Amino acid sequence: MKFTVLSTTAKHNTEFLQLPDRIILSNQSSNFLISSKMKLDEFLSGLDKDEIIIADCESKQGVSLYNEALDTSFTVLDYKPNDLTMEAADLAILNYFKRDLRGKSIAIYGTGNIASKLALRLSERSAKVYMFGRNPKKISVCVEALKQITFEPDLICYGDSDSRVDCLVSFVSSEKVIGKSYLEILNDNALCLDGGIGNFSKGFIKRALESNHEVRRLDVRQSQEIMDGYINSRLNSEFDNIIGTDTINGEIVVAGGIMGRDGEIIIDRISKPTRVIGVANGIGGVKNDSELSDEEKEKIKNVQEAIEQSFKKSVGR
């Protein structure tokens, strides 16, 4: 398979840029940043028709690469680069702290999409999260919103000069916003992770390294296995063989969580089923044996026999 990855950005600095190749399902794949419909149309017009396009589904600068690509003859899969970036940051932090964040304190500089999602994830891992940023109002909105949706609201905190943290992560689009003053909030041997790539000032980096902190730029390749699993599930989804509605031996059958109408037969999977689960009651449940009419019992028998006969044929018996 041949893949082409298309991403976009909220920054207004470029309309088209070839990025380093990605490895998708063990295939070296071209990777481009496109931020205008005109450039997208030009690019797609010269692309081989057998390419599978993996397109950023978030609309930025008035362009949705995914929606535009859907109107072409290409096979198109959607993905969210921001989510993969968040996953990579989560994995990087877990790696540094040997997969145990209990009792750890983490400062996140930023109040946008990635920073907010990462804050929620880390609080769910029992880390105490301090939120920092350039806009106090945005910080307040972010903190209070996260407190409403996490099971541990006390783990989401306002960051200030008195905070003491084991890790500092930045996710903003501006450069050199993390200056030397942020060294004051770091505990010994802290992890400093530049998620925005360019967020740390040279002075901060120099002093952090001199103080034996670990300084990293976020490498999104850390989430490659997550992306591979997602793409593979989209191309070869086993669940497509489980969910659905069909007719077996004249009876309507449902599977994969589809709520059947009263009297419809529920089976374990829609493709190559192995057994009958029961009879739908029409309100999201399965009828008890005591509720079954003689007609419904006969339906179960007929469908189960058809399933068994189909299975015997498939194995050549």
Side-chain angles (χ1 to χ4, degrees), residues 15-16 33-44:
E15 290 188 335
F16 183 86
L33 184 140
I34 302 177
S35 300
S36 79
K37 184 179 183 307
M38 182 183 72
K39 290 294 184 182
L40 176 64
D41 292 341
E42 289 178 5
F43 176 78
L44 293 180

Side-chain angles (χ1 to χ4, degrees), residues 42-297:
E42 289 178 5
F43 176 78
L44 293 180
S45 67
L47 197 64
D48 290 342
K49 295 302 179 183
D50 61 345
E51 292 275 344
I52 297 173
I53 295 176
I54 303 172
D56 187 344
C57 65
E58 293 186 73
S59 180
K60 298 169 186 172
Q61 300 190 46
V63 179
S64 170
L65 300 182
Y66 177 67
N67 289 341
E68 295 291 341
L70 279 177
D71 293 330
T72 68
S73 59
F74 291 98
T75 298
V76 184
L77 303 178
D78 64 298
Y79 89 115
K80 290 187 66 178
N82 281 355
D83 286 358
L84 289 170
T85 301
M86 187 279 290
E87 295 289 355
D90 179 44
L91 289 169
I93 294 168
L94 284 174
N95 167 267
Y96 186 75
F97 292 110
K98 297 180 172 55
R99 312 197 72 79
D100 186 358
L101 299 187
R102 293 173 297 176
K104 301 301 181 184
S105 296
I106 300 173
I108 297 181
Y109 189 99
T111 54
N113 183 301
I114 302 173
S116 300
K117 289 176 179 176
L118 181 62
L120 179 61
R121 172 71 62 82
L122 296 175
S123 71
E124 291 171 339
R125 296 195 187 282
S126 300
K128 192 164 190 175
V129 179
Y130 293 91
M131 302 298 296
F132 290 80
R134 294 164 290 180
N135 186 320
K137 184 176 180 179
K138 286 186 177 180
I139 296 173
S140 177
V141 170
C142 184
V143 169
E144 296 306 319
L146 288 170
K147 283 179 175 289
Q148 294 297 316
I149 58 178
T150 181
F151 287 109
E152 297 287 353
D154 292 341
L155 294 179
I156 303 292
C157 310
Y158 291 92
D160 57 33
S161 59
D162 293 326
S163 303
R164 292 295 178 268
V165 300
D166 305 296
C167 173
L168 168 63
V169 190
S170 62
F171 275 110
V172 290
S173 57
S174 299
E175 295 185 353
K176 300 179 176 62
V177 294
I178 304 297
K180 289 185 287 186
S181 62
Y182 282 89
L183 291 161
E184 301 301 321
I185 70 171
L186 300 180
N187 292 327
D188 292 342
N189 305 117
L191 170 65
C192 306
L193 185 63
D194 182 359
I197 312 302
N199 292 168
F200 293 172
S201 71
K202 292 179 181 178
F204 174 84
I205 295 171
K206 184 175 185 297
R207 288 282 301 278
L209 291 173
E210 290 173 347
S211 301
N212 294 319
H213 299 304
E214 181 155 326
V215 184
R216 300 184 188 179
R217 290 186 180 90
L218 181 64
D219 191 332
V220 296
R221 288 176 297 182
Q222 200 149 7
S223 62
Q224 184 60 52
E225 291 180 354
I226 294 173
M227 185 172 185
D228 279 357
Y230 170 73
I231 292 170
N232 194 49
S233 71
R234 295 296 305 278
L235 292 173
N236 307 289
S237 176
E238 171 61 19
F239 199 66
D240 290 341
N241 296 317
I242 294 174
I243 188 171
T245 302
D246 202 352
T247 301
I248 296 179
N249 210 9
E251 305 297 344
I252 297 175
V253 296
V254 297
I258 293 177
M259 296 184 188
R261 296 177 178 82
D262 186 19
E264 292 181 347
I265 306 299
I266 305 169
I267 56 178
D268 61 340
R269 51 187 293 124
I270 210 66
S271 176
K272 299 180 180 179
T274 63
R275 64 189 181 94
V276 172
I277 302 297
V279 178
N281 63 8
I283 54 173
V286 183
K287 292 185 178 181
N288 295 324
D289 290 345
S290 61
E291 299 176 286
L292 296 175
S293 66
D294 290 341
E295 180 183 358
E296 288 169 336
K297 292 177 181 178

